[in-house]
């Protein structure tokens, strides 16, 4: 086989989309060229150093997405930030104490700014390098212009490189498997619609079963890809985060579809409106799959299909009221099978029992539940594509697409959500800032020759717990030693033959950029060490002494990382996820109760007079913190203290809880205004009783997740409460002519949403027990 093809086949699974290879190749061309220009033509070694490391920061450490213009703006902004940081670092380096204080403040500001947007999060290391380089190399202030000239050269070269050298074509790895789930679910919904429309069993039922199995299979594949992909919080754009949320939503949609289809060949109970909703939902899913597979497809077609699904949903809800049988109390004779009677010339429907009343709404509720999740899926995909088309300032400040909130207000809201004691992002920001400050002080006090490498080693080694920090320290030192041995051997072979060193420099940069992603962190350290040996022996031939200095610097940086990791939140992301899970479950359960309160209030005043429950903001903020903690947990090296399957189940449970609250709100927001003022006290009370029971269970689960208390036993289905709810609707929510109102239907459906959340309890209790959190 051709060696190039062999290399390509080896890289493809290790470097998806060849993202690392593309960045490394650009850097291998640009960085040596700038270094040669400055050192050999301009004879400006200071400018050359800042141009070289600026090129590494702007080409190897970041990979901005978006159109060509947006990428150019992002690189121009990064270059401007480097200018500011280089000036600040040069000024702070005049005194060790100002250097330490400035390092802590700037380090925290840069690290914490990543919560605002993926643009800032993805540029964190590159921004820190712009401050670490000048603050760790004290020099007269007269050198600032030379340093800034190097930054300008690096910025200009980086902008040319990202424009003309291998523009980004990386495809998000979840898009295609998510599209396959959408198509499988659409096929299942169409098969169910055909089965119910045909009013016969046999072949149509077999098709339903086959399609349901296909949906489950594709959803399992999607979940497997998600768990195997090393998603880091700093690597996800807003559009990518929206697509990541699809994993949870499609998982929940699959679970709903498993219960919404026919149970056997004779299960033919449905209505034309439910069939129409299923077909409209299938169309939305097919268009969603089209947009996932090809982002250039027209978003308006999906929006129109989603509106048609909402219209079909409204018609189904209205028809459900007309068809609704009149329930009688459980003890009435009519409820036990008496025949219709007439009074005079007017027929009077005798009705059915409470069981029949509830069952008559079950089919339409299932269709309504499916439709809501499908609409959420479509909304997420539209959001993802709209996010990719945002203005650059909106990307930078993390403003959600089509949000009514201003860009700066959105950034402030995101930051405030993480300014609380249990935020993983806050922990990591403080830990990194303190570690860099200590490294600055120690490098000055110990007289280490290259304090820059001490600080860089501290930053690259430090992770979210002491165990993984220790593992990374071992890898960093072992990689550095291995690279030093290779560098020493290289120098022994070629000596100080500078032309050969110049020829080897681009190759060394290329390998150093690829191997961390394709092989390992330790291999990356080794390759980077070889690159530095070559680079410094070109500019200032030092031979083997440079190798010893490099090992000393990295060892000191690793020691700083290990000490800081031991004293600042040493338990790591697993403990942080448990805490974030507890908060997210408690806040999401309160949000669900708030949504039920909203529903109860709508019974008397209508939705137009009410504001959405404020608990939704707290639940959203808690979900964002959980998202960050979970992705940090996924990115942690080493074995997982909590099994990944159980942890994923618990994280998905939070999504389901919030989806249920969203569904209740959406249901009542569609209710008409000017509702009749009848007595609804009993119906309201029963709904609140159901909601409070669920709240108490999830609060107990949160206590178990956070404090090690016993996981609560799942609640059994309370059939009596459901019957009382139907009885309350019969008493309170019928018009003077004995006809059920739309409000009565929504009351029952709200109870169904609460019951769906209760049915989730056994799954969560089992996962929490197996996880041992």
């Amino acid at each position: 086989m051709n060696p190039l093809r062999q290399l390509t086949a080896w890289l493809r699974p290790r470097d998806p989309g060849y993202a690392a290879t593309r960045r490394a190749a650009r850097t291998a061309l640009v960085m040596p060229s700038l270094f040669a220009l400055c050192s050999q033509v301009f004879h400006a070694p200071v400018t050359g150093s800042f141009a070289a490391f600026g090129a590494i920061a702007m080409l190897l450490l970041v990979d901005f997405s978006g159109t060509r213009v947006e990428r150019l703006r992002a690189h121009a902004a990064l270059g401007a930030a480097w200018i500011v940081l280089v000036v600040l670092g040069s000024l702070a380096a005049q005194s060790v104490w100002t250097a330490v204080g400035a390092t802590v403040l700037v380090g925290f500001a840069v690290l914490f700014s990543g919560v605002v947007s993926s643009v800032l999060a993805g540029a964190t290391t590159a921004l820190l390098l712009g401050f670490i380089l000048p603050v760790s190399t004290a020099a007269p202030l007269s050198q600032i212009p030379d340093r800034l000239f190097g930054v300008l050269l690096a910025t200009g070269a980086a902008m040319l490189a990202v424009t003309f050298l291998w523009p980004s074509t990386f495809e998000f790895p979840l898009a295609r498997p998510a599209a396959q789930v959408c198509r499988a679910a659409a096929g299942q919904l169409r098969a169910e619609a055909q089965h119910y429309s045909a009013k016969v069993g046999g072949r149509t039922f077999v098709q339903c079963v086959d399609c349901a199995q296909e949906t489950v299979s594709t959803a399992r594949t999607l979940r497997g890809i998600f768990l195997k992909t090393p998603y880091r919080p700093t690597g996800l754009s807003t559009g990518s985060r929206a697509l990541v949320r699809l994993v949870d939503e499609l998982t929940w949609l699959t679970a709903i579809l498993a219960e919404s289809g026919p149970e056997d060949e004779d299960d033919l109970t449905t209505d034309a409106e439910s069939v129409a909703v299923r077909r409209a939902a299938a169309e939305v899913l097919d268009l969603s799959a089209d947009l996932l597979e090809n982002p250039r497809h027209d978003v308006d077609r999906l929006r129109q299909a989603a509106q048609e699904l909402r219209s079909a949903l409204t018609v189904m809800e209205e028809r459900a009221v007309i068809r609704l049988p009149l329930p009688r109390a459980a003890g009435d004779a009519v409820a036990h099978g008496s025949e219709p009677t007439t009074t005079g010339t007017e027929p009077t429907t005798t009705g059915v029992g409470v069981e029949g009343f509830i069952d008559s709404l079950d089919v339409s509720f299932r269709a309504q539940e499916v439709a809501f999740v499908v609409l959420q899926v479509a909304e997420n995909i539209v959001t993802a594509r709209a996010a990719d088309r945002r203005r650059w300032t909106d990307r930078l400040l993390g403003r959600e697409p089509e949000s009514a909130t201003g860009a700066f207000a959105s950034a402030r809201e995101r930051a405030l959500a993480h300014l609380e004691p249990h935020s993983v992002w806050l922990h990591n920001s403080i830990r990194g800032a303190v570690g860099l400050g200590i490294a600055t002080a120690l490098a000055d006090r110990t007289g280490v020759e290259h304090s820059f490498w001490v600080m860089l080693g501290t930053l690259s080694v430090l992770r979210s717990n002491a165990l993984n920090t220790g593992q990374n320290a071992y890898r960093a030192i072992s990689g550095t030693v291995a690279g030093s041995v290779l560098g020493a051997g290289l120098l022994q072979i070629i000596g100080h033959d500078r032309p050969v060193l110049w020829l080897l420099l681009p190759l060394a940069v290329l390998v150093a950029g690829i191997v961390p992603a394709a092989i390992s962190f330790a291999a990356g350290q080794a390759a980077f060490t070889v690159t530095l040996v070559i680079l410094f022996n070109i500019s200032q031939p030092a031979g083997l002494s440079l190798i010893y200095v490099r090992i000393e610097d990295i060892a000191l940086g690793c020691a700083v990382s290990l000490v800081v990791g031991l004293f600042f939140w040493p338990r790591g992301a697993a403990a942080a996820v448990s805490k974030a899970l507890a908060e997210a479950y408690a806040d999401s359960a309160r949000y669900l109760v708030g949504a039920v309160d909203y529903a109860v209030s709508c019974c008397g005043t209508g939705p137009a007079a009410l504001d959405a429950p404020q608990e939704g903001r707290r639940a959203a903020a808690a979900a964002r913190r959980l998202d960050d903690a979970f992705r940090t947990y996924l990115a942690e090296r080493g074995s997982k203290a909590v099994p990944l399957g159980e942890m994923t189940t618990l994280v998905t449970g939070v999504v389901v809880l919030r989806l249920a609250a969203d569904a209740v709100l959406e249901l009542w927001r569609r209710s008409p205004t000017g509702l009749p003022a009848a007595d609804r006290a009993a119906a309201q009370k029963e709904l609140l009783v159901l909601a409070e029971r669920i709240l108490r269970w999830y609060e107990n689960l949160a206590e178990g997740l956070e404090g090690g208390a016993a996981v609560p036993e799942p609640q059994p289905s309370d059939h009596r409460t459901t019957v009382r709810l139907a009885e309350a609707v019969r008493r309170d929510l019928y018009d003077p002519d004995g006809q059920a109102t739309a409000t009565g239907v929504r009351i029952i459906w709200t109870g169904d949403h609460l019951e769906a959340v209760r049915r989730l309890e056994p799954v969560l209790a089992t996962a929490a027990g197996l996880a041992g959190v």
Side-chain angles (χ1 to χ4, degrees):
M1 182 183 290
N2 186 301
L4 182 59
R5 289 185 177 180
Q6 286 182 324
L7 179 61
T8 302
W10 179 81
L11 274 176
R12 187 179 296 114
R14 295 170 175 83
D15 182 19
Y18 302 110
T21 304
R22 184 180 62 251
R23 294 195 305 269
R26 287 173 180 165
T27 311
L29 288 176
V30 173
M31 191 275 271
S33 301
L34 287 178
F35 189 63
L37 177 68
C38 295
S39 61
Q40 303 300 310
V41 179
F42 297 153
H43 301 290
V46 174
T47 300
S49 296
F50 277 78
F53 284 104
I56 290 174
M58 298 177 195
L59 292 174
L60 191 61
L61 301 182
V62 295
D63 191 11
F64 296 115
S65 61
T67 64
R68 178 180 298 180
V69 173
E70 289 168 340
R71 292 198 301 272
L72 290 176
R73 286 176 178 172
H75 278 280
L78 179 59
W82 255 65
I83 290 175
V84 174
L85 292 169
V86 166
V87 172
L88 289 176
S90 301
L91 294 173
Q94 302 306 304
S95 163
V96 63
W97 297 115
T98 57
V100 172
T103 299
V104 172
L105 292 176
V106 173
F108 176 79
V110 171
L111 290 169
F112 190 71
S113 68
V115 304
V116 171
S117 71
S118 61
V119 175
L120 290 172
T124 294
T125 304
L127 289 170
L128 284 175
L129 186 59
F131 182 80
I132 289 173
L133 181 61
V135 82
S136 60
T137 53
L141 296 181
S142 58
Q143 284 192 5
I144 290 180
D146 292 337
R147 294 179 170 190
L148 296 183
F149 184 50
V151 174
L152 290 175
L153 286 175
T155 303
M159 294 175 70
L160 290 173
V162 299
T163 302
F164 298 109
L165 299 178
W166 305 290
S168 176
T169 58
F170 180 65
E171 179 183 352
F172 191 64
L174 288 179
R176 193 165 298 277
Q180 292 173 349
V181 178
C182 289
R183 294 203 188 281
Q188 181 178 347
L189 286 170
R190 287 198 175 94
E192 291 175 3
Q194 181 183 2
H195 172 79
Y196 288 127
S197 297
K199 295 294 184 183
V200 293
R203 184 180 177 185
T204 58
F205 175 72
V206 173
Q207 289 175 340
C208 289
V209 173
D210 291 342
C211 289
Q213 291 174 346
E214 177 68 16
T215 303
V216 171
S217 176
T218 55
R220 188 180 296 117
T221 300
L222 172 64
R223 174 62 67 179
I225 294 173
F226 171 74
L227 294 178
K228 292 177 182 177
T229 305
Y231 296 109
R232 299 183 61 83
T234 56
L236 292 177
S237 65
T238 298
S240 297
R241 282 178 179 265
L243 293 181
V244 166
R245 287 195 293 270
L246 276 183
V247 178
D248 294 326
E249 292 172 351
L250 291 175
T251 300
W252 183 235
L253 176 61
T254 303
I256 294 173
L257 288 175
E259 298 182 0
S260 68
E263 296 181 0
D264 52 50
E265 293 185 15
D266 297 327
D267 184 1
L268 303 170
T269 304
T270 190
D271 52 74
E273 291 75 25
S274 296
V275 168
V277 167
R278 281 179 166 84
R279 286 175 174 158
E283 180 66 19
V284 170
L285 288 172
D286 273 338
L287 291 174
S288 297
D290 290 342
L291 201 56
L292 284 170
E293 293 172 340
N294 187 353
R296 294 182 179 85
H297 275 197
D298 187 8
V299 177
D300 291 336
R301 289 185 61 199
L302 178 56
R303 285 175 171 157
Q304 181 180 356
Q307 187 56 47
E308 291 173 357
L309 174 56
R310 290 188 181 92
S311 299
L313 194 58
T314 301
V315 171
M316 185 191 71
E317 292 172 355
E318 292 173 350
R319 293 292 300 175
V321 175
I322 297 174
R323 286 192 314 273
L324 193 65
L326 180 65
R328 301 275 185 183
D332 290 351
V334 172
H336 294 282
S338 51
E339 297 295 324
T341 60
T342 58
T343 304
T345 60
E346 296 295 329
T348 302
T349 303
T350 57
V352 297
V354 170
E355 295 287 352
F357 176 73
I358 296 173
D359 292 342
S360 67
L361 286 174
D362 187 64
V363 172
S364 46
F365 168 73
R366 292 299 175 195
Q368 189 257 0
E369 191 177 22
V370 167
F372 174 76
V373 181
V374 169
L375 288 171
Q376 290 292 106
V377 168
E379 182 179 344
N380 246 332
I381 294 173
V382 170
T383 297
R385 296 314 173 207
D388 294 338
R389 300 167 187 171
R390 287 175 299 169
R391 296 180 304 173
W392 181 80
T393 52
D394 289 343
R395 286 173 177 250
L396 180 65
L397 296 175
R399 183 172 180 265
E400 294 291 338
E402 302 177 0
S403 172
T405 307
F408 286 100
S410 176
R412 184 174 62 251
E413 181 178 326
R414 286 176 176 270
L416 290 176
H418 285 271
L419 281 177
E420 59 87 36
H422 307 295
S423 168
V424 173
W425 208 298
L426 179 65
H427 293 182
N428 290 341
S429 300
I430 295 176
R431 183 190 294 110
V434 171
L436 290 174
I438 293 175
T440 303
L442 283 180
D444 178 81
R445 291 301 179 187
T446 55
V448 177
E449 185 175 348
H450 297 102
S451 59
F452 168 70
W453 304 114
V454 178
M455 299 174 67
L456 195 62
T458 301
L459 182 65
S460 62
V461 168
L462 197 61
R463 287 297 185 268
S464 62
N465 65 25
L467 173 63
N468 283 304
T469 294
Q471 290 175 343
N472 287 327
Y474 170 76
R475 294 186 180 100
I477 294 175
S478 62
T480 301
V481 170
S484 300
V485 171
L486 290 174
L490 186 65
L491 291 179
Q492 289 293 331
I493 294 173
I494 65 175
H496 299 296
D497 190 335
R498 298 185 72 184
V500 176
L501 291 174
W502 275 111
L503 289 174
L504 289 176
L505 181 59
L507 179 61
V509 173
L510 179 65
V511 174
I514 294 175
V515 295
I519 301 179
S520 68
F521 174 71
Q525 286 291 112
F528 193 51
T529 299
V530 173
T531 302
L532 293 176
V533 169
I534 296 173
L535 184 65
F536 279 97
N537 274 279
I538 289 174
S539 59
Q540 298 175 358
L544 296 178
S545 62
L546 175 67
I547 295 174
Y548 302 139
V549 169
R550 171 69 172 152
I551 294 175
E552 180 185 6
D553 294 343
I554 286 294
L556 185 57
C558 291
V560 171
S561 298
L562 188 59
V563 170
V564 173
L566 284 170
F567 287 97
F568 286 83
W569 298 284
R571 294 177 61 194
V577 169
S578 297
K579 178 66 178 178
L581 273 170
E583 292 181 346
Y585 271 116
D587 288 340
S588 298
R590 294 187 190 105
Y591 174 37
L592 179 61
V593 173
V596 174
D597 284 337
Y598 176 89
V600 167
S601 300
C602 285
C603 291
T605 61
L610 299 172
D611 295 325
Q614 295 301 309
E615 293 87 352
R617 286 181 175 272
R618 286 181 57 85
R624 283 196 294 268
R625 292 193 295 271
L626 174 60
D627 179 68
D628 291 330
F630 184 52
R631 309 217 179 284
T632 304
Y633 176 79
L634 289 177
E636 264 191 353
R637 293 179 173 91
S639 60
K640 304 297 183 186
V642 179
L644 200 54
E646 280 68 35
M647 184 68 81
T648 304
T649 298
L650 291 170
V651 172
T652 303
V654 173
V655 177
V656 173
L657 199 56
R658 291 183 63 217
L659 279 175
D662 290 341
V664 172
L665 283 181
E666 180 68 18
L667 176 64
W668 287 91
R669 280 172 176 159
R670 293 197 302 269
S671 63
T673 58
L675 299 172
D679 179 18
R680 298 177 175 89
Q684 295 169 356
K685 177 182 176 182
E686 296 302 334
L687 268 186
L688 293 174
V689 166
L690 285 171
E692 289 293 337
R693 287 178 58 226
I694 290 173
L695 173 61
R696 284 194 299 272
W697 191 90
Y698 280 96
E699 285 180 336
N700 291 335
L701 175 65
E703 291 178 3
L705 291 171
E706 181 180 358
V711 175
E713 291 292 328
Q715 302 176 92
S717 177
D718 190 348
H719 183 69
R720 289 179 299 175
T721 302
T722 306
V723 171
R724 287 199 304 269
L725 179 60
E727 285 289 348
V729 171
R730 181 187 68 84
R731 291 196 303 269
D732 294 348
L733 296 172
Y734 271 74
D735 62 24
D737 296 327
Q739 175 65 50
T741 64
T743 305
V745 174
R746 289 186 171 88
I747 286 282
I748 293 295
W749 280 345
T750 301
D752 286 336
H753 281 298
L754 293 174
E755 174 62 16
V757 170
R758 187 209 60 76
R759 289 200 304 271
L760 188 65
E761 293 174 5
V763 177
L764 298 179
T766 300
L770 292 175
V773 296

